[in-house]
Amino acid sequence: MAFDEKIEHYMLTYPHAEEPPRSIIKTPAQIEGIRKAGEINSMVLDSVAEMIGEGVSTQEIDDLVAKRTANLGGICACLGYQGYPKNVCTSIDDVVCHGIPDPKRILQSGDIVNVDCTTIVDGFYGDASRMFLIGEVSEEKKKLVQVTKECLDEAVGIAKPWTTLGDFGYAINKRAKENGYSVVVEIGGHGVGVEFHEEPWVPHIGEPGTGMLLVPGMTITIEPMINTGTWEIDTDMKTGWAHKTLDGGLSCQYE
Ligand code: MF3
Ligand code: CO
Ligand code: CO
């Protein structure tokens, strides 16, 4: 009752906010399971960090993720998800997200790579991604990576109960724009935990006090994709998976 009243109170405070469906609010036991999946998922990414570098193919990253995940008792959520053919996503330079690992794509000095990993543990989902800088990377790329990390960290700092999704979307977009960058709008974060992708959809732009009200027990990803040029993206029609920047500019993401 107190919880419902509090939601009612904040819905009056933010008349343009959206009320969260009660079905997405997790129990403490579910949160514990989701936290564990997130921790194991991070351990997989730690292993990627140890092996990634110049001369490594993106397929080798995929192989490592498959092996490490299995050793930790997890399942790679990406493999077979809506027909996705690999265990992990590896998105380089102008690839915004969902780059498919490829034995022919050998990492070169100067590449910036996002590795996006999702692990199922005891039925719960953890989903995170990191950027890796290969060899000697240009100042332009270093700055994009730095600002994108700042966008995520700032959003995570703001995302608290009784605020709204628009609050941190606004902050992400503001910081990106201040640096001359744009925010991808067609792809967003998402609820996560019991399923891979749950409600709500999480935009990385917004206005304070709008979008879904955040309440205790919600589990979401924040995964801003920040571009040096246009925010517009283009989908690789051969596979339907990899999204690239429309203008060939650079893109970067942390989740
Ligand atoms: N991990 C991605 C996300 O953050 C989703 C990848 S879907 C896949 O939502 F099928 F490509 F793996
Ligand atoms: Co992800
Ligand atoms: Co995600």
Side-chain angles (χ1 to χ4, degrees):
M1 188 60 184
F3 189 67
D4 284 339
E5 272 168 16
K6 214 160 171 190
I7 290 179
E8 224 171 279
H9 167 78
Y10 280 99
M11 287 305 295
L12 290 170
T13 309
Y14 308 119
H16 301 291
E18 194 185 321
E19 188 170 332
R22 302 299 190 274
S23 58
I24 64 172
I25 298 168
K26 272 72 176 183
T27 64
Q30 286 173 320
I31 303 257
E32 200 179 305
I34 296 163
R35 194 180 296 282
K36 187 176 169 205
E39 281 166 2
I40 288 181
N41 192 55
S42 280
M43 289 166 75
V44 177
L45 284 170
D46 289 343
S47 297
V48 170
E50 283 169 23
M51 61 77 78
I52 199 167
E54 221 175 317
V56 172
S57 75
T58 51
Q59 179 61 48
E60 287 173 279
I61 298 169
D62 197 82
D63 294 341
L64 182 279
V65 166
K67 206 169 114 198
R68 181 74 172 134
T69 303
N71 283 340
L72 290 166
I75 297 166
C76 295
C78 292
L79 185 64
Y81 175 76
Q82 295 185 355
Y84 187 75
K86 299 283 176 174
N87 297 286
V88 69
C89 298
T90 50
S91 304
I92 305 171
D93 287 351
D94 64 332
V95 180
V96 172
C97 64
H98 304 170
I100 300 177
D102 176 357
K104 293 195 297 290
R105 183 58 169 94
I106 314 290
L107 296 177
Q108 313 282 338
S109 181
D111 287 340
I112 54 169
V113 194
N114 175 276
V115 179
D116 188 349
C117 197
T118 310
T119 306
I120 310 171
V121 178
D122 300 331
F124 296 106
Y125 289 75
D127 181 14
S129 80
R130 295 182 200 165
M131 292 300 300
F132 297 98
L133 284 65
I134 308 300
E136 293 292 313
V137 168
S138 69
E139 289 306 314
E140 185 198 15
K141 287 181 173 181
K142 277 186 197 161
K143 186 184 166 208
L144 175 65
V145 172
Q146 172 65 31
V147 172
T148 305
K149 182 72 166 59
E150 288 168 9
C151 285
L152 175 64
D153 290 345
E154 188 178 349
V156 169
I158 291 171
K160 291 187 164 63
W162 319 115
T163 64
T164 70
L165 290 187
D167 295 348
F168 65 75
Y170 177 79
I172 290 167
N173 194 29
K174 181 163 177 284
R175 187 176 288 255
K177 277 206 296 211
E178 279 166 1
N179 285 280
Y181 300 144
S182 67
V183 176
V184 172
V185 296
E186 288 162 74
I187 307 171
H190 49 93
V192 68
V194 174
E195 312 269 355
F196 196 155
H197 296 110
E198 305 174 0
E199 264 198 281
W201 186 70
V202 176
H204 299 111
I205 62 168
E207 289 300 325
T210 71
M212 195 173 281
L213 178 71
L214 296 174
V215 306
M218 277 170 69
T219 48
I220 62 170
T221 74
I222 305 175
E223 46 182 306
M225 286 145 273
I226 309 296
N227 297 350
T228 53
T230 180
W231 52 270
E232 288 169 288
I233 59 172
D234 194 21
T235 305
D236 172 15
M237 283 311 164
K238 271 211 309 273
T239 64
W241 279 106
H243 299 287
K244 290 186 173 190
T245 56
L246 189 65
D247 60 3
L250 296 165
S251 188
C252 181
Q253 180 179 31
Y254 276 92
E255 177 174 19

